[in-house]
Amino acid sequence: MKVVKELPISLLRTAQLSSIPLGRLKRGPEQTIPVIVSLTSIPSRLKSLHLVIRSLLAQEVSAKKIVLWLHEDLKTTLPPKLQKLVCERFEIRYSSLTCSHRKLIHSLQAFPEDTIITCDDDLMYRRDWLSLFYREHLQHPQNIIGNHTVHINHDVNGKPMPFKTWRQPLGGKINPWALTPIGAWGVLYPPNSLSDQVQDVDVFLELAPRADDLWFKAMALLKGTISIQATHLPREPIPIGGTQKVALKKENLGADKNTVQWNALEQRFGLSHIILGSGPGPEN
């Protein structure tokens, strides 16, 4: 959405979500689906974070659990509007990590047998976002699913090309191993779809400290899990005004840090051999 267009829509959705009685939000819809929704946030977005959580609690189906992972220093500084939302369906847990990887890695440990959907902390999600995701999962239960994906492209020598070229597959031919979910619209991870190395904090802080989506893609490749583009898409999530002043996306794209971090992952794990079909098979 463009800024001029998104502001009225954002204000309207903010008013709608804010008007839903707390009891109704906590009670939720009758139908519960077996997924965990997992996200993280940063201090600059705490004041508006209740709108994201309200949009997740107001889905037309209920997640088994919504878990927000915050840095442990924030325990005593949570806004009342966020604290009041805590209930059986929504909980806040804490981490010593300062990186965005905590949106998934802790939930992988806490809920190892569950399907986990990650989402961002600066968007209000449409009411059918969760139900459409789950519908797609039932059709493709073994795949990681992204509402928004890019395509890792390689040059004639088999080396990864810069991230800015990943918007579409070169030549129009999709390599399913090259599709890469980008987290803003949400990513669904089935149980056991990532390598056990996903929890190696020292390695991801060394190779991809500010590119959690690329780290998770690397771990999917090492596990032998294909990612797919969702076909049942909800309408675009609604941005929350003022939340984009601090954003990894701007930093990574502006300085081409995604390319730098993917190249580091490639050098360590030989990912191009897997993507191009000449590498190792799935982990045991």
Side-chain angles (χ1 to χ4, degrees), residues 221-239:
L221 289 171
L222 293 182
K223 186 68 175 183
T225 305
I226 287 178
S227 301
I228 64 172
Q229 166 67 51
T231 56
H232 307 295
L233 288 175
R235 286 181 296 161
E236 187 174 353
I238 302 168

Side-chain angles (χ1 to χ4, degrees), residues 141-155:
Q142 304 304 316
N143 297 130
I144 295 169
I145 303 169
N147 275 331
H148 177 58
T149 59
V150 294
H151 189 277
I152 303 169
N153 291 314
H154 292 78
D155 63 21

Side-chain angles (χ1 to χ4, degrees), residues 5 20 26 102 117 121 136-137 149 180 185 217 222 273:
K5 291 183 178 180
I20 302 175
K26 291 185 174 182
R102 67 188 175 204
I117 299 176
D121 63 337
E136 196 91 36
H137 170 62
T149 59
T180 302
W185 284 37
K217 174 60 180 179
L222 293 182
H273 293 292

Side-chain angles (χ1 to χ4, degrees), residues 78-264:
L78 297 184
K81 287 184 179 180
L82 179 62
Q83 288 181 308
K84 289 178 180 178
L85 295 173
V86 173
C87 60
E88 185 177 349
R89 300 173 59 215
F90 167 58
E91 62 183 73
I92 301 173
R93 299 191 184 190
Y94 296 92
S95 166
S96 61
L97 295 179
T98 59
C99 56
S100 56
H101 304 64
R102 67 188 175 204
K103 72 181 182 185
L104 178 60
I105 61 169
H106 299 313
S107 285
L108 290 173
Q109 290 181 316
F111 310 100
E113 303 303 320
D114 286 297
T115 295
I116 299 171
I117 299 176
T118 61
C119 64
D120 272 11
D121 63 337
D122 57 348
L123 299 169
M124 294 175 282
Y125 291 88
R126 309 285 185 165
R127 290 193 71 249
D128 60 353
W129 174 79
L130 188 56
S131 60
L132 289 175
F133 240 145
Y134 190 61
R135 174 182 170 188
E136 196 91 36
H137 170 62
L138 293 178
Q139 295 176 349
H140 306 281
Q142 304 304 316
N143 297 130
I144 295 169
I145 303 169
N147 275 331
H148 177 58
T149 59
V150 294
H151 189 277
I152 303 169
N153 291 314
H154 292 78
D155 63 21
V156 293
N157 297 314
K159 294 184 178 180
M161 297 180 68
F163 184 82
K164 64 183 179 181
T165 71
W166 292 12
R167 292 187 181 276
Q168 294 180 345
L170 294 182
K173 185 176 181 180
I174 295 175
N175 175 353
W177 291 100
L179 277 179
T180 302
I182 300 298
W185 284 37
V187 183
L188 182 149
Y189 297 89
N192 305 308
S193 58
L194 300 177
S195 167
D196 290 342
Q197 295 180 72
V198 70
Q199 301 290 349
D200 197 329
V201 176
D202 291 337
V203 175
F204 69 64
L205 289 181
E206 174 194 352
L207 303 177
R210 302 182 71 79
D212 54 282
D213 290 329
L214 299 185
W215 172 252
F216 299 140
K217 174 60 180 179
M219 295 301 102
L221 289 171
L222 293 182
K223 186 68 175 183
T225 305
I226 287 178
S227 301
I228 64 172
Q229 166 67 51
T231 56
H232 307 295
L233 288 175
R235 286 181 296 161
E236 187 174 353
I238 302 168
I240 300 170
T243 58
Q244 293 299 310
K245 294 178 181 179
V246 179
L248 276 179
K249 179 181 177 181
K250 289 182 179 180
E251 179 180 338
N252 284 340
L253 292 179
D256 203 19
K257 290 186 178 180
N258 278 331
T259 299
V260 173
Q261 290 171 97
W262 183 256
N263 286 340

Side-chain angles (χ1 to χ4, degrees), residues 3-40:
V3 174
V4 174
K5 291 183 178 180
E6 70 186 24
L7 183 57
I9 298 173
S10 180
L11 292 174
L12 176 61
R13 188 58 180 151
T14 295
Q16 290 172 337
L17 289 171
S18 299
S19 69
I20 302 175
L22 201 57
R24 188 198 306 173
L25 275 179
K26 291 185 174 182
R27 184 169 60 251
E30 290 185 7
Q31 183 181 359
T32 298
I33 58 175
V35 302
I36 305 296
V37 175
S38 186
L39 70 159
T40 189

